[in-house]
Amino acid sequence: MAQEDTNVIDQPEVMKPRMVSIEISGKKYDVPEGITVIKALWYTGQEVVRGVGCLGGFCGACATYYRTKDDPKVRTCLACQMAVQDGMSFTIMPPFPARKAIYDIQMLKDPKQDLFNLYPEAPLCRNCNACTEACPQKIDVREGVWKAVFGDFKNVSEMFMDCVMCGMCTPVCIADIAPNLVALYVSRAQGAHFAENPKGLDTRIQEIQDGRFNDEWKKILAMSEQELADHCATVK
Amino acid sequence: MDIHALQQIVHSTRDARRKQTIPKFSPAVRDQLIHKYHPDYRPSAYRPIRFGPNSNEKTVVELATLLEGDSLIQNDVDLTPDYTTDVLVIGGGGAGCAAALHAQGAGAKVILATKLRLGDSNSVMAQGGMQISVAPEDSPVTHFLDTLKGGHMHNDHDLLKTMVDDGPAIAKWLIDLGVLFDRQADGNLHVKKGGGSSKPRLLTCSDYTGLEIMRVLKDEVLNQKVQLLEFCAAVELLSDGNGQCSGAIFKDLDNHRYVVVAAKSVILATGGIGRLHIQGFPTSNHYGATGDGLCLAYRMGAKLAHIDTFQYHPSGAVFPEQLVGQLVTEGIRSEGGHLVNAKGERFVNELDTRDVVSSSIIRECEEGRGIRTMSGRVGVWLDTPLLDAEHGPGTVEKHFPAMLMQFDRFGIDISKDPVLIYPTLHYQNGGVKIDTNSETNVKNLFVAGEASGGLHGRNRLMGNSLLDLMVFGKRSGLTAAGRAGSMKQGKLTVQHLQRFRADAKKHGNLSNVISPMVLPAYTRKES
């Protein structure tokens, strides 16, 4: 099969590999320097089902804890977006059993107040900043939680546009908040309840319902292939 | 030469290039260019499919081999259902979530099964936006004509009209769910112009459009308590003995057990095919994009359309190696970013259709005007710093935060340095043939999103995919749900499989692979 022939670990370092020693879940391996963490897993013969996703830094599936040589600090990354280096140690994060509140976004009466019913732990933030430090997307998560609690939903929704829902902020929270889920609720509430109604969109929906384009459709759909091609060419 | 030194040509030619206007190619030149350089026109990459509904039609070797592959399921498999439902949705991306939400909203019992996690899909990676004709100077008709032109007039007219007409209502649905589209100062939706479109029509959420939509849809699927089967890969459909679909068999990837789901109707929303690495191309696609739905539907007797045409997105990253194949969003070009060859020249109107731009890039590289990386890859420059020069400092950072971060992780600041790009396998233009309600020629088998075919013709315009999957996700969900009340659960058999195997035998047997592929084989074997 073609796909088995494809050598995806085709880094320059693999062609002329400078090998580095790393530790995956406590076991030592030698892998080519510079390949991504996820490729290091494949390189060492490990099949990854949980812990792999879009491979482009958008889906948050490959949330990973890592530590570098001589540094006791455990950091976080997305495994598809991080290159391995000598002495690195890493483990893919298992799914964390955070509680997601269930709500009907359209039926919310007072979304800013409802936050305290849905996520009562949100105002208990103790300002420790562990969530911000854990965020591989560099979001100021702590600030976001505070803004959410103080009702600044607009700002929170902007701050969390980068959030890939990897959930790394959750296990580190000493107040048991799941900041990404709080932010998702806040963003949705902002969109559904506080963003301005786009009038142009309503107008267009009405125009379609009223059949404003029907004559034009009739004309176009009756055209021969050549006529249609010629007509398309006139659209500028 | 060092790649960083080679970048200098982009900086030194920027001012001169800014004064240039590159006209679009004439239709004749476009055709010539595409026929000579587009990967869809490399005859050696294609072969006829030997049997099945598209027998004797050509497709790429990688896909033909999978379509002719054998099922994991044997004829004597135990078909006692583990679950019974009205509507079974296979696939947890945009189309799958939209289908599940609409079907359940219409009162049907729904199960959503997905190979990886809920939401894992190409949809989440969509950066550029979603085409919907909301601007006053625009109309669904213009959207139709632009798309038809982009698809080289091969688009299914009924499907296309349905999509453009349903578009605005879809935008409303998403806004009501809390999707934060970019706005103008007056509160109206901000629209950008995409390649091949005559009017600004792209609805965006910064350069995280897919991520934002999927965060909301996933959350809504959880809020609506749709029953989920995650890490369950579909390995075979079930048929009632009269050619109608009646459920599916899954393999639970956590414990390798089979799971049988009896369903009155099935919606395949399994996405595309990039991870087959057709013709050896890198891909922008999700890990799970292995074309599973095509194999399942094909064995069941569903006809495929346009499966000889694929989209190679013009701008896949070529450097650094860690990002090879990842998209550099078209938004950069739609905001004026130039494509620049090794001589510092522009060579195509950057806003021409994707197939034309891709073909032009391949031409530059094949004719020796590309830039080679240390690992032997070739590409051309995309002048990203130009955006800050043109629209003011901070533009790149403000409009493309996702891209900025992606490259920054490897020490490249795209607001200061250009990036090297080459076409990457991005989208399967064709797929399973459907009608305007998303149903295939196999009764009660629906297909929505990238796995379906016909809508985009032979080339998809930027931003039409997100709309496609919402519109046909919705329609498949509503139609399947509407049918559930009035019909009985069909018998659970694999008779179609017996027929398929017999058919294969007549034509020189099955290929020696098991399909669907489920996950790509990237794990390094012991050497």
Side-chain angles (χ1 to χ4, degrees), chain A residues 3-181:
Chain A
Q3 66 274 8
E4 285 175 353
D5 295 334
T6 310
N7 177 14
V8 292
I9 307 164
D10 47 7
Q11 313 293 329
E13 296 84 356
V14 174
M15 293 172 176
K16 255 187 176 178
R18 193 181 97 83
M19 303 300 275
V20 294
S21 292
I22 60 164
E23 210 176 75
I24 305 175
S25 304
K27 260 191 194 172
K28 283 194 167 27
Y29 298 92
D30 287 338
V31 302
E33 183 182 37
I35 64 174
T36 59
V37 165
I38 206 96
K39 285 184 179 179
L41 283 157
W42 288 328
Y43 187 88
T44 56
Q46 307 190 39
E47 279 181 23
V48 196
V49 176
R50 288 180 178 266
V52 66
C54 73
L55 298 170
F58 284 98
C59 79
C62 57
T64 296
Y65 291 118
Y66 76 97
R67 195 170 46 73
T68 51
K69 207 176 181 178
D70 304 327
D71 185 356
K73 173 86 182 156
V74 175
R75 298 170 198 275
T76 60
C77 69
L78 298 173
C80 70
Q81 298 290 300
M82 180 83 195
V84 296
Q85 46 181 291
D86 192 44
M88 188 175 178
S89 175
F90 64 82
T91 300
I92 283 194
M93 186 179 112
F96 192 79
R99 180 188 64 86
K100 193 202 104 60
I102 299 298
Y103 46 87
D104 184 332
I105 194 77
Q106 271 133 18
M107 299 305 282
L108 297 172
K109 290 276 182 292
D110 185 354
K112 293 190 179 179
Q113 198 55 40
D114 291 335
L115 169 68
F116 301 110
N117 302 323
L118 294 167
Y119 289 106
E121 62 280 16
L124 304 180
C125 169
R126 282 179 251 164
N127 231 352
C128 75
N129 214 36
C131 51
T132 302
E133 285 179 32
C135 180
Q137 294 290 88
K138 301 195 168 89
I139 299 168
D140 192 340
V141 183
R142 180 195 63 98
E143 181 79 8
V145 171
W146 277 91
K147 282 188 190 295
V149 171
F150 281 95
D152 188 359
F153 279 23
K154 185 167 191 295
N155 234 315
V156 176
S157 65
E158 284 163 9
M159 289 171 72
F160 280 79
M161 190 50 94
D162 291 306
C163 176
V164 293
M165 302 296 290
C166 67
M168 304 272 255
C169 50
T170 305
V172 297
C173 180
I174 53 174
D176 300 322
I177 304 168
N180 62 326
L181 296 177

Side-chain angles (χ1 to χ4, degrees), chain B residues 183-197:
Chain B
R183 302 300 186 96
Q184 297 170 184
D186 66 0
N188 272 315
L189 293 161
H190 176 73
V191 278
K192 276 200 216 170
K193 197 166 166 175
S197 296

Side-chain angles (χ1 to χ4, degrees), chain A residues 205-217:
Chain A
I205 292 171
Q206 197 59 48
E207 284 173 344
I208 292 172
Q209 279 171 0
D210 295 346
R212 193 193 136 185
F213 307 105
N214 286 359
D215 289 347
E216 215 177 331
W217 276 126

